[in-house]
Amino acid sequence: MKMKKSHWFLYLSILTVLIYGCSKDENADNTINIFSVQDDIAFGQQMRDEIHSNSADYPLLSETQYAAAYNHIYRIRDSILESGDLKYADKFDWKVDIIEDDEVLNAFCAPGGYICVYTGIIKFLDNEAQFAGVLGHEMAHADRRHSTDQLTKAYGIQLLLGIVLGNNQSQLAQIAADLAAGVAMLAFSRDAENEADEYSVKYLYNTAYDATGVKGFFEKIGGSPQPPEFLSTHPNPDNRFDHIVEVWQTLGGKTGGTFEESYNQFKSSLP
Ligand SMILES: [Zn+2]
């Protein structure tokens, strides 16, 4: 039997995972990701479809009715994209959905750059730099492809065997459905968290925002009575605050604005 070229590649990938998988330590820069960038986009689109078809769990704010709120996020998102530090700024869609639930302090960005923000987290934060910091952190998870890194760890070999045996279609669909059901979410590793913090600072550094905005968010949730949903998928690495400040100082320690006023306008554009 003649083996397809793609199958050879997959066998090699399995070998690579088997050989290196066990000896590698958890490092977001060195992890093996068996998925293609196109897979990230496909996963994200499927998750977005699930979210759009499940209004009970994901009551989305209408973009036509709340155009002002969406435009605030687009403006902040675009200034992050224009930082020039995102690898997939042009390749991913970076679509935004606002989920109407004031009780949920969460935001996430599905693979391929599909951003979801709960009204709860928008209302919880005090200024636009904090929000931009959180958005930058989420966008970094997508741009650094942390989800499919994690997926490779969680499903890698099993999935590869499925693909090689030629029956992976339903498996891929099932994984995407699982992801959307749990909202993505395999918790990120602490290394991925550090990297997302680091990139949030890098993205914001060349904008008008205080580049350490994400630190303000983590300080604020650290003081909240119940650990919010955010921390269940974004575990706190050690020395998180020191690390954020360190990255900022390495870049030059430039101060930026917090923009309370425009942030209050953003909040008041929500229901
Ligand atoms: Zn995170």
Side-chain angles (χ1 to χ4, degrees):
M1 186 182 85
K2 196 163 172 271
M3 191 172 283
K4 275 190 196 164
K5 200 176 156 201
S6 62
H7 285 184
W8 274 113
F9 171 73
L10 287 162
Y11 278 121
L12 286 174
S13 300
I14 291 171
L15 280 176
T16 310
V17 171
L18 288 173
I19 292 165
Y20 293 104
C22 306
S23 61
K24 282 235 169 255
D25 59 2
E26 241 187 30
N27 183 321
D29 270 322
N30 291 330
T31 44
I32 295 159
N33 191 330
I34 60 161
F35 296 94
S36 68
V37 174
Q38 214 46 50
D39 288 334
D40 278 49
I41 295 170
F43 272 137
Q45 275 172 346
Q46 192 161 352
M47 284 176 58
R48 188 169 188 267
D49 290 348
E50 297 266 349
I51 286 165
H52 275 249
S53 63
N54 180 356
S55 58
D57 288 335
Y58 304 108
L60 298 180
L61 223 58
S62 151
E63 190 166 349
T64 41
Q65 204 180 341
Y66 293 96
Y70 277 91
N71 286 336
H72 273 283
I73 301 192
Y74 293 146
R75 178 175 51 77
I76 300 164
R77 173 202 65 185
D78 290 348
S79 65
I80 291 172
L81 289 175
E82 283 158 17
S83 70
D85 290 315
L86 286 92
K87 199 169 174 185
Y88 303 107
D90 297 328
K91 182 137 186 153
F92 291 171
D93 276 343
W94 304 109
K95 285 191 171 144
V96 176
D97 284 308
I98 304 175
I99 303 170
E100 187 180 2
D101 190 336
D102 287 355
E103 302 302 313
V104 177
L105 299 187
N106 210 359
F108 57 91
C109 187
Y114 298 93
I115 301 163
C116 285
V117 183
Y118 283 85
T119 52
I121 199 170
I122 301 171
K123 292 181 181 180
F124 173 75
L125 294 173
D126 299 321
N127 63 58
E128 208 165 289
Q130 288 175 348
F131 182 81
V134 171
L135 199 61
H137 176 103
E138 292 304 328
M139 289 167 74
H141 279 311
D143 199 64
R144 307 294 300 165
R145 306 185 59 214
H146 291 158
S147 289
T148 43
D149 278 354
Q150 291 292 106
L151 268 179
T152 302
K153 282 196 193 113
Y155 293 88
I157 292 165
Q158 189 198 350
L159 183 77
L160 277 170
L161 287 171
I163 291 168
V164 171
L165 295 172
N167 62 358
N168 76 307
Q169 287 307 320
S170 59
Q171 206 170 4
L172 272 174
Q174 186 55 48
I175 291 171
D178 287 352
L179 284 176
V183 168
M185 303 246 159
L186 296 173
F188 291 114
S189 68
R190 287 183 168 76
D191 285 327
E193 281 306 301
N194 265 330
E195 195 177 68
D197 287 348
E198 208 173 293
Y199 275 81
S200 175
V201 176
K202 284 182 188 168
Y203 299 159
L204 263 60
Y205 195 80
N206 290 322
T207 68
Y209 298 117
D210 168 15
T212 64
V214 71
K215 176 169 157 279
F217 163 63
F218 286 116
E219 281 167 344
K220 208 171 148 81
I221 50 169
S224 72
Q226 290 163 334
E229 296 76 8
F230 193 92
L231 289 178
S232 64
T233 50
H234 302 260
N236 247 330
D238 292 337
N239 306 319
R240 169 166 244 161
F241 300 156
D242 293 345
H243 184 65
I244 291 168
V245 171
E246 215 174 275
V247 175
W248 171 69
Q249 278 168 344
T250 306
L251 291 169
K254 184 186 74 177
T255 51
T258 50
F259 303 95
E260 274 86 1
E261 203 176 310
S262 59
Y263 196 65
N264 284 334
Q265 284 168 14
F266 176 24
K267 284 199 218 184
S268 62
S269 68
L270 296 172

